[in-house]
Amino acid sequence: MWSSAGTRTRLVGRERELSTVRRLLRRHRLVSLVGPGGSGKTRLAAELAPAEPGTAVVELESVHRPDLLWHVVAFSVNVWEEPGEPLPTTVVRALADHRLLVLDNCEHLVREAAGVVTTLLARCPRLRVLVTSREPLDLAGEMCVEVGPLAPADARRMFLELGGSPVLVDEACARVDHLPLAIELAAAAPDVPARHRTLDAVIRWSYDLLSPGEQAALRRLSVLVGDFDLDLAAAVCGCEDDVVQVMSSLRAKSLVVRSPSSKSARFRMLESIRLFGLARLEEHGETDSTFDRLATVLTRYVREVAATLTGETNDWFAEHEHQLLHAVANVPRTDPRYTSIVGGLVHIWYLRGSLVEAGRLATATLAEGAVAEHSELLLFRASWIAGLTGDGPAALRCAEALAAHPATRDPTWQARAWNTLGHARSRVGDQTGARDATERSVAAVRALGDESLLMSFLNNYAWLLREFGDLDTAATVIDEALGLGAPDVCRWTAARHTAGVIAMERGDLTRAEELFVVALRDGTPSCAADVLEGLGLVAAQRRQPERVVVLVAAAQAVRRSRDSSAEVLWHRVVTATYAAARRTWARRGPPGHGGWGSGSTTPGRSST
């Protein structure tokens, strides 16, 4: 985890390296911390680049697909994909005003990381890059600082601060080559035999002290990357031992660490220990069976969680993104579970606003004929993504496949399929079919008694009616949605936004502004950008270009900070309104005419 808070002691004995790197960063734009695993490169970088404005950190240890590197960088700096714009261009723009970018653990992606760094340094003149890796990127102008073992006195001090025995300190530090990670492991143990002379040996020594059940757990936990919870740990271990007791023991031995970024009980393994565990897993012939358990449990979790798709379950998806990515890289594409795991990833990226990247993964998976038993979530999200990004025919194909899927035997999925079909039909201009399918979805969810889902479907129905010009009926439908007692604040905010747009198009600007203001005040931060843009459109109707510019600029800032993006049609309207307002404001004359403030808004986002 990128934080010195996760370490057991303060930084010891790196004053020279700190001074050298700070001096180099003042004079050079690319500095690499190079050294063996366990030497403390990441810890040193964390000291050099604390979390503050102008600093961005990209952790690469769990990234094993080079083609996802730009996506991981984008996620780490909280940006989304702009429609019709390459992702690297979006990242470059986001980093233009940053002072420092840290790329941590690049050794397995040296060539790809070098390409990213080359692009960023060429196009972001103010940016400096700090890299940690076991080998240099081999780029022109790269300044390398070697991070090796600690000096004996510093190693001794670190060992004692970690609670190691004073009697063993000199022998222990010498036997583990004065490497910080090895010292941390050695300090936690009662004895350090002379044969333990390398980091791998220290880990093996700790491993050999474990019970057979603990050894099996350590090996099998190595298939998990990043954070994981106790349920996932128990599933991949597949043993009868009490997982809480096993995890407590492994944590006490510094072989797993508690994640400081989570309120719940979540853990992670240091990468050196995880790699050691993977090697032991292969030695015991357990690699395939353990990855099989991981794929099975993730598939089951995805299907169970996808049955509701509330704010709480969406949080689950976000917490397990690294595990899903890892599983995608290791599960054969011919395996029917692959489709379910991809569906979980596509859902995460959809919620984040990475519609283009999510759409590419969904399209590539479905193109392989992987519409299998576990594909309902993938088809569902693929249809909405296609519709929101302007590909109506693809949206309809996926929606029709979802409607025919065996999962629709479940009443919730059947209702969701009809609602998706309504949206898809609207994207291809089939107004009658869109209205019929959406009405059927509303009727189906009424029978279920799910007020949260009913609020979403009524919101989508009102939006559809508004697009078709039936503003009076749309107003009646959205009023019903707002009268529901659904606890989902995000759905409530989306319904307020829809009601505001409908009121605006009916000419009631006061009512529209009231709805947007309440949504902004009481809604969720993730919906704030849409609401601010709605207020901007009201200001356009009132011929207040200065207010339009301020509100839309604020919305853009929120989107950057929240890593969210707008649906294509909504984005077009807001962008056109913003551009007109800037032109009018620049002339410093009357707001103009010829379409300015005409209220011609045709966005198409949904709260689903």
Side-chain angles (χ1 to χ4, degrees):
M1 178 57 59
W2 183 263
S3 172
S4 59
T7 61
R8 298 176 60 208
T9 185
R10 62 186 180 85
L11 186 66
V12 174
R14 294 299 189 190
E15 292 80 8
R16 182 183 62 81
E17 289 88 346
L18 282 171
S19 176
T20 299
V21 176
R22 284 173 176 147
R23 174 175 53 81
L24 290 174
L25 282 172
R26 287 194 295 268
R27 300 178 181 178
H28 304 275
R29 299 186 61 207
L30 174 59
V31 178
S32 294
L33 303 179
V34 179
S39 61
K41 300 182 295 294
T42 295
R43 177 68 177 86
L44 180 59
E47 191 77 13
L48 289 159
E52 61 184 18
T55 299
V57 177
V58 182
E59 297 178 80
L60 299 177
E61 71 175 43
S62 61
V63 182
H64 299 287
R65 285 181 53 178
D67 59 318
L68 293 177
L69 185 53
W70 276 108
H71 176 79
V72 173
V73 175
F75 169 65
S76 300
V77 299
N78 293 321
V79 297
W80 69 100
E81 298 165 79
E82 293 289 349
E85 181 179 86
L87 186 57
T89 301
T90 306
V91 173
V92 165
R93 184 168 58 252
L95 289 171
D97 294 324
H98 278 65
R99 296 189 302 275
L100 180 65
L101 172 69
V102 180
L103 293 179
D104 188 38
N105 291 311
C106 294
E107 51 268 2
H108 59 304
L109 297 167
V110 169
R111 185 174 62 181
E112 294 77 16
V116 169
V117 170
T118 299
T119 299
L120 293 176
L121 290 179
R123 299 173 62 183
C124 301
R126 297 181 57 191
L127 185 67
R128 282 171 166 73
V129 179
L130 178 63
V131 169
T132 75
S133 178
R134 296 180 188 178
E135 61 180 297
L137 300 187
D138 197 23
L139 293 175
E142 181 182 21
M143 305 301 296
C144 295
V145 176
E146 184 176 353
V147 181
L150 291 170
D154 294 324
R156 188 178 191 278
R157 180 154 49 102
M158 180 180 179
F159 185 88
L160 294 174
E161 288 184 0
L162 287 168
S165 169
V167 176
L168 300 173
V169 58
D170 292 325
E171 180 184 0
C173 292
R175 294 298 183 263
V176 297
D177 295 325
H178 304 107
L179 286 171
L181 175 58
I183 291 169
E184 184 172 354
L185 291 169
D191 186 27
V192 181
R195 64 183 177 275
H196 296 146
R197 305 187 62 85
T198 66
L199 177 59
D200 185 76
V202 170
I203 300 174
R204 181 179 289 278
W205 163 61
S206 298
Y207 174 80
D208 289 341
L209 293 175
L210 300 176
S211 69
E214 291 170 341
Q215 288 181 344
L218 181 68
R219 293 194 303 269
R220 296 165 187 174
L221 288 171
S222 66
V223 303
L224 302 176
V225 296
D227 293 358
F228 55 86
D229 57 23
L230 288 172
D231 289 340
L232 196 56
V236 300
C237 286
C239 57
E240 298 179 357
D241 295 340
D242 183 348
V243 69
V244 175
Q245 181 178 353
V246 170
M247 292 299 295
S248 297
S249 177
L250 293 177
R251 185 185 176 202
K253 297 175 174 67
S254 297
L255 293 170
V256 299
V257 295
R258 179 76 177 265
S259 173
S261 63
S262 177
K263 297 179 182 178
S264 59
R266 294 184 66 81
F267 304 87
R268 67 184 296 150
M269 299 178 75
L270 297 173
E271 185 66 4
S272 297
I273 296 173
R274 193 180 75 82
L275 293 174
F276 176 90
L278 283 174
R280 305 292 80 72
L281 197 69
E282 185 69 25
E283 287 178 358
H284 283 74
E286 298 176 337
T287 302
D288 291 343
S289 60
T290 306
F291 271 108
D292 185 73
R293 282 194 295 272
L294 176 61
T296 297
V297 70
L298 287 177
T299 298
R300 186 178 80 244
Y301 285 173
V302 166
R303 300 197 80 194
E304 290 174 353
V305 172
T308 54
L309 297 184
T310 63
E312 182 177 348
T313 56
N314 287 338
D315 289 342
W316 180 92
F317 275 107
E319 289 177 346
H320 288 76
E321 179 178 7
H322 286 308
Q323 311 303 343
L324 293 169
L325 275 169
H326 195 42
V328 163
N330 288 277
V331 175
R333 298 190 180 191
T334 55
D335 190 318
R337 296 171 300 182
Y338 180 83
T339 312
S340 180
I341 296 168
V342 168
L345 274 178
V346 169
H347 178 67
I348 295 168
W349 295 352
Y350 170 90
L351 294 177
R352 186 177 298 149
S354 298
L355 300 182
V356 175
E357 192 72 19
R360 285 175 183 155
L361 181 58
T363 300
T365 303
L366 294 172
E368 296 174 355
V371 184
E373 177 187 358
H374 306 301
S375 59
E376 63 270 23
L377 181 59
L378 178 60
L379 289 168
F380 171 58
R381 276 302 170 224
S383 179
W384 280 94
I385 290 167
L388 295 174
T389 54
D391 190 346
L396 186 58
R397 286 194 301 272
C398 291
E400 290 174 341
L402 176 62
H405 196 280
T408 57
R409 288 193 291 264
D410 174 80
T412 298
W413 269 110
Q414 184 181 60
R416 197 176 283 158
W418 279 114
N419 196 254
T420 303
L421 194 59
H423 175 257
R425 286 174 176 172
S426 73
R427 298 305 98 184
V428 295
D430 181 4
Q431 295 189 12
T432 301
R435 187 162 182 164
D436 175 68
T438 307
E439 287 174 349
R440 292 185 67 169
S441 74
V442 171
V445 81
R446 284 190 198 279
L448 291 173
D450 185 335
E451 287 199 343
S452 290
L453 199 56
L454 179 59
M455 175 177 277
S456 278
F457 286 11
L458 288 172
N459 176 75
N460 295 346
Y461 186 33
W463 197 263
L464 194 70
L465 291 167
R466 185 206 62 78
E467 286 187 328
F468 296 162
D470 189 353
L471 294 177
D472 292 340
T473 307
T476 300
V477 171
I478 200 62
D479 284 346
E480 180 187 354
L482 292 174
L484 296 173
D488 193 319
V489 179
C490 187
R491 286 182 165 111
W492 177 90
T493 308
R496 278 285 191 280
H497 180 269
T498 295
V501 174
I502 292 170
M504 178 178 61
E505 295 193 349
R506 296 178 82 195
D508 190 346
L509 300 184
T510 300
R511 172 64 174 159
E513 186 170 47
E514 289 173 352
L515 287 162
F516 290 142
V517 168
V518 171
L520 189 63
R521 183 190 65 202
D522 300 334
T524 59
S526 61
C527 301
D530 283 326
V531 178
L532 285 167
E533 288 163 348
L535 286 168
L537 295 179
V538 169
Q541 294 272 4
R542 289 176 169 164
R543 300 179 180 275
Q544 299 170 333
E546 298 91 342
R547 183 171 170 80
V548 174
V549 171
V550 170
L551 288 167
V552 175
Q556 292 172 346
V558 170
R559 289 199 187 281
R560 286 193 294 271
S561 67
R562 301 292 304 180
D563 187 26
S564 66
S565 62
E567 179 271 328
V568 169
L569 296 179
W570 177 259
H571 179 73
R572 288 174 185 167
V573 172
V574 172
T575 300
T577 304
Y578 180 63
R582 291 192 65 179
R583 289 194 299 270
T584 303
W585 194 7
R587 290 197 300 268
R588 297 196 178 274
H593 50 278
W596 164 255
S598 65
S600 177
T601 56
T602 56
R605 60 115 191 99
S606 163
S607 67
T608 298

